[in-house]
Amino acid sequence: MESEAEGLLLWLMDQGLEPQHVLLDIGCGKGKLRSVVGYLDEGNYYGFDRAQEVVYKMGEPEKFFGHHPDRSTWMCAFDQFEKLGLFAKRPTVWLSDRFNVAPLAGRKADFIFCKDVWTHFTPKMIKRCLDACSTAIADDGVMYASFTVSKSGKYHEGPDSYFGAEYKDNTAYTVEGITKVASEAGWDAELMETPCAPHNQTLRLTRRS
């Protein structure tokens, strides 16, 4: 596990990530970017996930940290962050299945990382994700998102709707298909060398001026 976390940090550093940058981690899970949290300056990591059970442990309010947008509900920390002494870096995590980026409180992300999320998304959901990211990314910011490559050659494979489907239902795209989805949402996308699983690929996305 640590080799994966360290590998993702090294990969992001190769893409230009520096300690002073702000990073938004979409689908933060159990803390796959924990090495990134340790690398960034205090307060520069933000992450959210739709699954409560992977974001925090139930029944342990002493582990709360960060803020919900309403500023009244404390969210819980990752066990990973606690074990590694990362609370001092003041990472902020929250629950959201609707791409809520309000906890950035007006800050703009230099990097947005979205690993193993679009692998479950329909085109409509990807566009909603990108619309939210458009409000959260810096003018010169960059986004990296992984997706599963379609084996059939179809532009899109998978369920027609996301919120009514089981999370285990996977989606897959051709490179041309997912690039078109991004373009329709106002983003330029290019395929690049991936830090993801062999069956997935990574897009580098920038917001079109």
Side-chain angles (χ1 to χ4, degrees):
M1 289 296 291
E2 282 310 306
S3 60
E4 178 188 12
E6 293 167 3
L8 289 172
L9 169 60
L10 291 174
W11 186 86
L12 283 165
M13 290 173 65
D14 284 344
Q15 312 315 313
L17 181 68
E18 297 181 359
Q20 71 272 17
H21 287 144
V22 173
L23 183 140
L24 173 61
D25 185 8
I26 298 177
C28 57
K30 295 181 180 179
K32 62 182 176 292
L33 292 188
R34 53 193 173 275
S35 294
V36 172
V37 176
Y39 172 74
L40 292 175
D41 288 342
E42 180 180 330
N44 282 358
Y45 173 88
Y46 296 82
F48 68 86
D49 202 290
R50 68 184 295 272
Q52 175 174 295
E53 64 272 16
V54 303
V55 175
Y56 63 83
K57 291 179 66 176
M58 296 293 290
E60 299 192 27
E62 71 277 6
K63 293 184 178 180
F64 285 5
F65 85 107
H67 279 93
H68 191 269
D70 65 9
R71 300 299 180 187
S72 65
T73 305
W74 291 92
M75 305 305 290
C76 288
F78 296 121
D79 286 344
Q80 298 283 1
F81 291 177
E82 181 181 43
K83 287 191 298 184
L84 297 174
L86 294 173
F87 286 167
K89 288 302 187 82
R90 298 185 61 81
T92 299
V93 296
W94 64 98
L95 295 172
S96 178
D97 62 2
R98 302 288 173 173
F99 311 116
N100 175 23
V101 295
L104 272 75
R107 300 188 74 189
K108 300 296 184 180
D110 302 291
F111 285 77
I112 298 178
F113 193 67
C114 186
K115 181 178 183 292
D116 300 334
V117 175
W118 287 7
T119 50
H120 303 281
F121 277 8
T122 64
K124 181 178 179 180
M125 291 304 301
I126 290 177
K127 289 177 183 177
R128 289 183 61 184
C129 177
L130 288 172
D131 286 346
C133 290
S134 294
T135 69
I137 196 167
D139 290 341
D140 58 351
V142 63
M143 178 177 181
Y144 298 98
S146 66
F147 70 99
T148 301
V149 177
S150 170
K151 294 180 179 179
S152 69
K154 293 182 180 179
Y155 140 68
H156 166 240
E157 301 172 2
D160 292 329
S161 63
Y162 173 69
F163 286 112
E166 293 294 331
Y167 189 69
K168 65 183 179 181
D169 289 341
N170 293 324
T171 57
Y173 296 84
T174 61
V175 175
E176 294 79 9
I178 201 164
T179 299
K180 180 182 178 182
V181 172
S183 180
E184 290 174 350
W187 293 70
D188 292 321
E190 61 178 326
L191 192 66
M192 62 178 304
E193 185 177 345
T194 178
C196 303
H199 61 283
N200 289 344
Q201 295 294 325
T202 298
L203 287 179
R204 181 184 188 275
L205 301 113
T206 53
R207 180 67 180 160
R208 193 177 304 133
S209 301

